[in-house]
Amino acid sequence: MTNEIHFIDFEPQVLEKKFWTGRVYENQSQVMLRLNDWTRKNYNNEIINIETVVVPKHPHIKNDKKQNRLNMHGGHVYMIQVLRVWYK
């Protein structure tokens, strides 16, 4: 038996793309539904922790409502909220 620790990230998925207003994303409740579905399907994995992580998003994607803009000295970094599951 190996004691390897893994993780999987659940970030808001794009529900639809609109030309004038940009992308429409899942809300956190919908992301939690996907996370719960994953845990039901992977019940044999031991879940160690579930956390919320704010990670940088690719810089060419701008003006999405689910992203926060962080002003840095050399420009902007766009951040997005992700749910991360640590499991064995």
Side-chain angles (χ1 to χ4, degrees):
M1 181 175 167
T2 62
N3 287 328
E4 294 181 1
I5 296 175
H6 306 278
F7 72 90
I8 183 169
D9 288 339
F10 293 89
E11 67 179 52
Q13 300 293 316
V14 177
L15 296 176
E16 59 182 284
K17 296 178 183 178
K18 296 182 178 181
F19 182 74
W20 296 107
T21 58
R23 296 180 173 113
V24 176
Y25 287 91
E26 292 177 317
N27 59 31
Q28 282 300 106
S29 297
Q30 292 169 314
V31 177
M32 278 299 297
L33 287 173
R34 283 194 297 115
L35 187 148
N36 288 329
D37 187 46
W38 181 87
T39 57
R40 279 190 291 277
K41 290 179 182 176
N42 296 282
Y43 61 89
N44 56 342
N45 293 330
E46 178 186 349
I47 295 178
I48 300 168
N49 191 26
I50 299 175
E51 62 186 352
T52 302
V53 182
V54 179
V55 295
K57 199 67 174 163
H58 200 276
H60 78 275
I61 301 174
K62 296 181 181 176
N63 297 329
D64 285 329
K65 293 177 184 170
K66 291 289 180 185
Q67 294 181 351
N68 297 320
R69 188 171 87 175
L70 178 63
N71 292 321
M72 303 295 284
H73 293 290
H76 305 302
V77 177
Y78 290 88
M79 310 296 280
I80 191 163
Q81 185 173 334
V82 173
L83 295 174
R84 179 170 288 171
V85 179
W86 293 92
Y87 65 95
K88 287 185 184 179

